[in-house]
Amino acid sequence: MRTPTLAVLLACSATAAAGQSPVHPLDGISAREHWAAYEALQSSGKLDSTFRLLYVGLKEPAKADVNAWRPGQPLRRQALVHLTQGKYGYEAAVDLTEKRLLSWSQLKGRQFMSSIAEGGAAEALALKDARVQAALKRRGIADLTHVGCFPANNGYFDLPEERDRRVLHVTCDDSRGRISGYPEALNNLVVVVDLTNDKVLRVVDSGVEQRTGPVGGHSPEEIGPTRAAVNPVEMVQSKGPSYALNGHEVSWQNWKFHFRMDARRGLVLSKVRYQDGDRERSVMYQGSLSELFVPYMDAADPWNYQGYFDLGTYPSIFGGIASSLEPGVECPLYATYFNSYVVTDKGAPRERQRTSCLFERTTGDVAWRHTRAGGSVNEARPRTDLVLRMYMNAGNYDYLFDWVFQQDGAISVNVGATGMDQVKAASGTPKDNDYGRMIADKLIGVNHSHFFSFRLDMDVDGEQNALLVDKLQTTTLPADNPRRSVWTVNALAPQREKDAMRMSPMNAPEIWRIVNPNVKNPFGWPVGYEVEGHGAMSLLTPDDYMRRRAGFVDHTLWVTPYSPAEMYAAGDYPSNSVAGEGLPQWTAANRLVANTDVVAWLTLGFHHVPRPEDWPVMPVAWHSFRLVPVGFFARSPAIDIPKLR
């Protein structure tokens, strides 16, 4: 059989990838709608010549309106806009249908997203400072053509010099000779810049170190000879995909859902349902990434300021958090690819090619298996998954996000981390090992952590849901039993938010179920879905201001009552945020979370101690969580997978 060419396969998927007008209330912002947002802002009289748009995203209709909507009914579309103008940040809401401004408000405390223009302003201030120029000369640099300076941090400690100002710690590098990888870092030089008042507060130069030149090269020219290639493993779907698409609505193997791409949140899955016989049953109203926090573990400036809120701070710099996918490498050739739009700083839409892909996958794994009749009969069924994928480039890191729909009624969310470790020059002293490890010649990979917050608006068989906590506990048996102990399950039903803040240490395991207490399965207990995921705990002290700004890391699971205003775990604007915003602030009210519309927030975390095998580009490291049916079905939903002949 002839294998289809790349051009043929991409042409086959072009229908889904092509731009189209919204046909669903939760569709992403189209190119025409980006222009409508710009026209609404311009006609409002609010903009001056200094405006820069940082984000335009869907302002979702009310949940009740989305659930009541039927295909063919009119759509009323609105957008949320983040922008800067002069020295201030603003939030606006616009009516895309009528092209008019609905609201306009100035943000408090300079808490707006970062932009490329802001980085350019910081660089200009640094490079024209005589102290910086002298420091560069001490490092043997007179030609500044290839010297760049940029903000190295998203740190904020509520210090007097920082309040109501954009204060950045800037570092410089020399890209001369660079092909790929990092430019040469000009270590021990930190420029503290106040962008609000357009001045350099101070220059910290703690000494000249040995020059390293560019590091981390990984282009074909720099890698050199490669190993022998493996023989091709080709996967095709000669009969086409098994899923059905209607715009961005997907149907596959009893699953139904809608998805869109958002410049800040990435993939947003909505209206996730399961066709159970003649009943269409709701599982989750919406699921997406909410925030990603990456703190570095070095006490020296500027590393002590490096704690990145990637979703809340950098979407404009990234050009939207989703990056383009390479067919045949990052997704199978036979996948369906989808494009999306992001906003440029002056309001024009920019198309991003292939920001998500959808494909079926079989890897030779089984969905279930059992051998009977003394081993003479083997019953096994092949496993096939449906994968919705996005890649995110976040500066030095790249993250892969897979939402995997399984035939057994489970949803797996897999996060792959790759890219380049952040490094600093080794000093040649024992202190090199204090905050990292040597991973390449004269280079220390700095220790750090990653904390992902996922917002999961669970609607298990309807909106009235609750959290059940199954605590696994050791039970001592009577003395006359030769067995001394077993473990048993003690189910708790938290009533309010503070009781629903959960951790699950290895020596006190818990199982977390989002249930509908009003719908019973055939065996008399409430239908539910388990949130199966236990990430790393923060090792920062509770009084660490950086940890307090990312308060969602304090618990692996949070449960809150549904509120359309509560979307981001670290708050709407984590840049320059004060401690306690987001989940800690909302849950301080200790609201009711029993038998109501609830949202689960899962923190997926891991710590990274770099190793030489990470360099120059890390192999993908995988972390995951799952949503697993518990009493939702009367039997295994995978039992009816047909046997291969």
PDB file of all heavy atoms in Angstrom, residues 89-100:
ATOM      1  N   GLY A  89      -2.065  49.425  33.258  1.00  0.00           N
ATOM      2  CA  GLY A  89      -2.739  48.297  32.651  1.00  0.00           C
ATOM      3  C   GLY A  89      -4.243  48.455  32.775  1.00  0.00           C
ATOM      4  O   GLY A  89      -4.741  49.057  33.736  1.00  0.00           O
ATOM      5  N   TYR A  90      -4.965  47.879  31.806  1.00  0.00           N
ATOM      6  CA  TYR A  90      -6.416  48.001  31.785  1.00  0.00           C
ATOM      7  C   TYR A  90      -7.040  46.664  31.395  1.00  0.00           C
ATOM      8  O   TYR A  90      -6.425  45.839  30.712  1.00  0.00           O
ATOM      9  CB  TYR A  90      -6.862  49.074  30.780  1.00  0.00           C
ATOM     10  CG  TYR A  90      -6.370  50.457  31.107  1.00  0.00           C
ATOM     11  CD1 TYR A  90      -5.125  50.896  30.656  1.00  0.00           C
ATOM     12  CD2 TYR A  90      -7.134  51.326  31.883  1.00  0.00           C
ATOM     13  CE1 TYR A  90      -4.651  52.163  30.969  1.00  0.00           C
ATOM     14  CE2 TYR A  90      -6.675  52.595  32.200  1.00  0.00           C
ATOM     15  CZ  TYR A  90      -5.434  53.010  31.739  1.00  0.00           C
ATOM     16  OH  TYR A  90      -4.970  54.265  32.058  1.00  0.00           O
ATOM     17  N   GLU A  91      -8.278  46.496  31.837  1.00  0.00           N
ATOM     18  CA  GLU A  91      -9.095  45.367  31.412  1.00  0.00           C
ATOM     19  C   GLU A  91     -10.362  45.929  30.780  1.00  0.00           C
ATOM     20  O   GLU A  91     -10.985  46.849  31.329  1.00  0.00           O
ATOM     21  CB  GLU A  91      -9.456  44.471  32.587  1.00  0.00           C
ATOM     22  CG  GLU A  91     -10.353  43.305  32.219  1.00  0.00           C
ATOM     23  CD  GLU A  91     -10.783  42.496  33.426  1.00  0.00           C
ATOM     24  OE1 GLU A  91      -9.907  41.831  34.021  1.00  0.00           O
ATOM     25  OE2 GLU A  91     -11.982  42.539  33.788  1.00  0.00           O
ATOM     26  N   ALA A  92     -10.756  45.369  29.650  1.00  0.00           N
ATOM     27  CA  ALA A  92     -11.964  45.815  28.964  1.00  0.00           C
ATOM     28  C   ALA A  92     -12.774  44.601  28.540  1.00  0.00           C
ATOM     29  O   ALA A  92     -12.234  43.518  28.314  1.00  0.00           O
ATOM     30  CB  ALA A  92     -11.610  46.656  27.732  1.00  0.00           C
ATOM     31  N   ALA A  93     -14.086  44.795  28.449  1.00  0.00           N
ATOM     32  CA  ALA A  93     -14.986  43.800  27.866  1.00  0.00           C
ATOM     33  C   ALA A  93     -15.681  44.459  26.691  1.00  0.00           C
ATOM     34  O   ALA A  93     -16.102  45.626  26.777  1.00  0.00           O
ATOM     35  CB  ALA A  93     -16.003  43.312  28.895  1.00  0.00           C
ATOM     36  N   VAL A  94     -15.788  43.737  25.587  1.00  0.00           N
ATOM     37  CA  VAL A  94     -16.407  44.289  24.385  1.00  0.00           C
ATOM     38  C   VAL A  94     -17.471  43.333  23.867  1.00  0.00           C
ATOM     39  O   VAL A  94     -17.365  42.107  24.011  1.00  0.00           O
ATOM     40  CB  VAL A  94     -15.368  44.581  23.280  1.00  0.00           C
ATOM     41  CG1 VAL A  94     -14.363  45.621  23.740  1.00  0.00           C
ATOM     42  CG2 VAL A  94     -14.650  43.314  22.855  1.00  0.00           C
ATOM     43  N   ASP A  95     -18.505  43.908  23.273  1.00  0.00           N
ATOM     44  CA  ASP A  95     -19.538  43.152  22.582  1.00  0.00           C
ATOM     45  C   ASP A  95     -19.094  42.996  21.132  1.00  0.00           C
ATOM     46  O   ASP A  95     -18.997  43.978  20.389  1.00  0.00           O
ATOM     47  CB  ASP A  95     -20.880  43.896  22.661  1.00  0.00           C
ATOM     48  CG  ASP A  95     -22.034  43.087  22.092  1.00  0.00           C
ATOM     49  OD1 ASP A  95     -21.867  42.496  21.005  1.00  0.00           O
ATOM     50  OD2 ASP A  95     -23.106  43.056  22.720  1.00  0.00           O
ATOM     51  N   LEU A  96     -18.779  41.764  20.731  1.00  0.00           N
ATOM     52  CA  LEU A  96     -18.271  41.520  19.384  1.00  0.00           C
ATOM     53  C   LEU A  96     -19.371  41.597  18.336  1.00  0.00           C
ATOM     54  O   LEU A  96     -19.096  41.871  17.166  1.00  0.00           O
ATOM     55  CB  LEU A  96     -17.598  40.141  19.330  1.00  0.00           C
ATOM     56  CG  LEU A  96     -16.395  39.970  20.253  1.00  0.00           C
ATOM     57  CD1 LEU A  96     -15.936  38.514  20.255  1.00  0.00           C
ATOM     58  CD2 LEU A  96     -15.254  40.888  19.838  1.00  0.00           C
ATOM     59  N   THR A  97     -20.591  41.343  18.751  1.00  0.00           N
ATOM     60  CA  THR A  97     -21.703  41.379  17.805  1.00  0.00           C
ATOM     61  C   THR A  97     -22.027  42.815  17.423  1.00  0.00           C
ATOM     62  O   THR A  97     -22.206  43.140  16.240  1.00  0.00           O
ATOM     63  CB  THR A  97     -22.942  40.697  18.416  1.00  0.00           C
ATOM     64  OG1 THR A  97     -22.582  39.394  18.878  1.00  0.00           O
ATOM     65  CG2 THR A  97     -24.055  40.576  17.388  1.00  0.00           C
ATOM     66  N   GLU A  98     -22.074  43.702  18.422  1.00  0.00           N
ATOM     67  CA  GLU A  98     -22.433  45.096  18.168  1.00  0.00           C
ATOM     68  C   GLU A  98     -21.215  46.016  18.078  1.00  0.00           C
ATOM     69  O   GLU A  98     -21.368  47.227  17.855  1.00  0.00           O
ATOM     70  CB  GLU A  98     -23.370  45.584  19.275  1.00  0.00           C
ATOM     71  CG  GLU A  98     -24.685  44.809  19.347  1.00  0.00           C
ATOM     72  CD  GLU A  98     -25.605  45.329  20.439  1.00  0.00           C
ATOM     73  OE1 GLU A  98     -25.217  46.286  21.153  1.00  0.00           O
ATOM     74  OE2 GLU A  98     -26.715  44.790  20.579  1.00  0.00           O
ATOM     75  N   LYS A  99     -20.029  45.467  18.275  1.00  0.00           N
ATOM     76  CA  LYS A  99     -18.774  46.223  18.192  1.00  0.00           C
ATOM     77  C   LYS A  99     -18.804  47.445  19.118  1.00  0.00           C
ATOM     78  O   LYS A  99     -18.550  48.581  18.707  1.00  0.00           O
ATOM     79  CB  LYS A  99     -18.492  46.659  16.757  1.00  0.00           C
ATOM     80  CG  LYS A  99     -18.301  45.510  15.787  1.00  0.00           C
ATOM     81  CD  LYS A  99     -17.961  46.003  14.389  1.00  0.00           C
ATOM     82  CE  LYS A  99     -17.811  44.841  13.431  1.00  0.00           C
ATOM     83  NZ  LYS A  99     -17.502  45.298  12.057  1.00  0.00           N
ATOM     84  N   ARG A 100     -19.101  47.187  20.386  1.00  0.00           N
ATOM     85  CA  ARG A 100     -19.143  48.295  21.337  1.00  0.00           C
ATOM     86  C   ARG A 100     -18.491  47.881  22.653  1.00  0.00           C
ATOM     87  O   ARG A 100     -18.441  46.702  23.007  1.00  0.00           O
ATOM     88  CB  ARG A 100     -20.579  48.758  21.581  1.00  0.00           C
ATOM     89  CG  ARG A 100     -21.482  47.738  22.242  1.00  0.00           C
ATOM     90  CD  ARG A 100     -22.917  48.260  22.354  1.00  0.00           C
ATOM     91  NE  ARG A 100     -23.786  47.261  22.960  1.00  0.00           N
ATOM     92  CZ  ARG A 100     -24.019  47.165  24.265  1.00  0.00           C
ATOM     93  NH1 ARG A 100     -23.425  48.011  25.105  1.00  0.00           N
ATOM     94  NH2 ARG A 100     -24.828  46.232  24.736  1.00  0.00           N
TER      95      ARG A 100
END
